[in-house]
Amino acid sequence: MTINPEILLIILGMAAVTYLTRWLGPFLMSRVNLSKKVEAWLGYLPGTILVSLVLPDLIRSGATGIIAGFASLVAARLSGNLFLALVVGVVTVWAGRSLLG
Amino acid sequence: MKEKTLTENVKEDPAQEVDFTRAGAWLGFRQSIPVALSVFAYGLVFGVLAKQANLSFLEAFLMSVLVFAGASQFTALGLWVTPLPALTIILTTFIINLRHILMGASLYPYIRQLKALPRNIILYFMSDESWALTIGQFQQGKRNGAFLLGSGIALGFGWWGSTVAGYLLGNLIEHPERLGLDFAFLAVFIALLVAQWQGRKSILPWIGAGLVAVAASFWLPGKWYILLGGLAGSLAGALFNDD
């Protein structure tokens, strides 16, 4: 149960800059006049961030991943249920990787 | 259309004030349990690698509790050589986590009525996954700031617990990818993305985000692709669509 003081400082530095990134978005927006244009921009953000989170990983995950992604998409679209979409995706990947090795 | 009316409600409909209740936290916690299980599988690897990098148990645990950002913690371990390049590690952490600025900005219209203290506390828990789950809730009109807190605590149990378990017990799940657990995050993001579709006006921003994110993921290190893709697509929408 030891802590090296230098390592503690590095961890505290990492924690501080990480929290800064989490805090900065709302802070900056509170300084901006929320015009129609800015509101429209904020409205597009969730979708475009999610596209950016998904697409690069998906095209790297091979045929199994792409099929599983499509399965999750269909499950989400039909059921509107997040948990079901998750299960369908994971099971499809599991089945694909088990069959294809 | 949907987001726009919701953000307008913040101003025009005082009944649409943001709540902060125990029920909201509990809902966030419950809805995040499946994702937290995947976080656990992934965090075991972090615990194992932290031990291999010669961090003490307490150091590894503190890093997971205080930093609470997986991608940057893994990257830090990759830089963990003697003598420790402290500034490089901290700066790299900052750059990898810059994407949170964009996520936080998108949450702002929904949380701006919260008092400073709860708002600053819930922001600590804003991981990619909890952000995605929370914004999905908020857009459905279920505006409870404590949802992010509950979701973050659920993911926290997964992340902190798996750091401890991985460090002390080794890798309990030898090949989490064989079980498909790594895909759980993608499946959740895809499901939440479905709800973001707004018809024709989504086409341009989404294509822009996709192209920039994929290109950046090939040419730039770390997580730049999330920030750049999100920024490019949303700006394209705001500038070129008629809202």
Side-chain angles (χ1 to χ4, degrees), chain B:
Chain B
M1 189 62 194
K2 188 169 49 175
E3 289 94 324
K4 204 173 156 202
T5 47
L6 277 175
T7 49
E8 278 170 3
N9 281 345
V10 175
K11 261 189 293 185
E12 290 165 10
D13 183 6
Q16 263 287 9
E17 273 177 20
V18 60
D19 288 324
F20 198 93
T21 63
R22 189 173 300 193
W26 180 230
L27 183 67
F29 186 89
R30 277 191 330 236
Q31 290 213 357
S32 305
I33 289 172
V35 181
L37 291 174
S38 303
V39 167
F40 187 87
Y42 171 65
L44 287 172
V45 182
F46 177 76
V48 171
L49 291 179
K51 188 174 184 184
Q52 284 171 6
N54 284 323
L55 271 82
S56 75
F57 172 76
L58 205 54
E59 289 158 359
F61 182 64
L62 268 184
M63 191 192 282
S64 281
V65 171
L66 295 177
V67 181
F68 192 47
S72 57
Q73 290 180 234
F74 276 108
T75 309
L77 291 186
L79 298 168
W80 215 262
V81 291
T82 340
L84 280 165
L87 277 180
T88 307
I89 292 172
I90 292 168
L91 193 65
T92 307
T93 302
F94 181 65
I95 291 171
I96 290 177
N97 289 323
L98 281 175
R99 66 189 191 282
H100 291 141
I101 296 178
L102 223 47
M103 296 176 183
S106 74
L107 278 182
Y108 175 71
Y110 305 98
I111 62 170
R112 66 174 177 178
Q113 291 172 340
L114 283 180
K115 289 199 183 77
L117 184 66
R119 192 166 80 181
N120 290 334
I121 289 174
I122 63 174
L123 286 174
Y124 164 79
F125 289 99
M126 193 183 65
S127 60
D128 295 357
E129 293 81 8
S130 288
W131 164 79
L133 291 163
T134 302
I135 196 105
Q137 281 286 308
F138 285 178
Q139 288 177 336
Q140 289 171 23
K142 300 174 199 161
R143 208 176 296 176
N144 198 313
F147 185 94
L148 177 54
L149 178 70
S151 172
I153 290 173
L155 264 65
F157 283 160
W159 187 241
W160 309 325
S162 61
T163 300
V164 170
Y167 194 97
L168 297 178
L169 306 173
N171 213 346
L172 300 169
I173 305 170
E174 275 303 332
H175 294 286
E177 72 282 358
R178 191 159 293 169
L179 297 174
L181 287 175
D182 55 324
F183 198 80
F185 305 117
L186 270 187
V188 165
F189 293 144
I190 288 170
L192 291 164
L193 186 56
V194 168
Q196 296 292 331
W197 180 250
Q198 300 172 61
R200 249 181 49 193
K201 65 179 281 210
S202 293
I203 295 173
L204 174 72
W206 286 27
I207 289 177
L211 287 176
V212 171
V214 169
S217 74
F218 281 108
W219 288 317
L220 295 172
K223 297 279 182 184
W224 278 110
Y225 68 93
I226 301 168
L227 179 73
L228 294 177
L231 205 54
S234 57
L235 285 175
L239 293 175
F240 301 121
N241 277 356
D242 292 325
D243 289 285

Side-chain angles (χ1 to χ4, degrees), chain A residues 26-50:
Chain A
F27 173 76
L28 291 175
M29 294 320 299
S30 72
R31 295 287 153 128
V32 169
N33 179 21
L34 283 192
S35 66
K36 277 263 182 281
K37 268 282 178 243
V38 174
E39 285 199 352
W41 172 63
L42 289 178
Y44 285 118
L45 269 182
T48 58
I49 295 173
L50 285 167

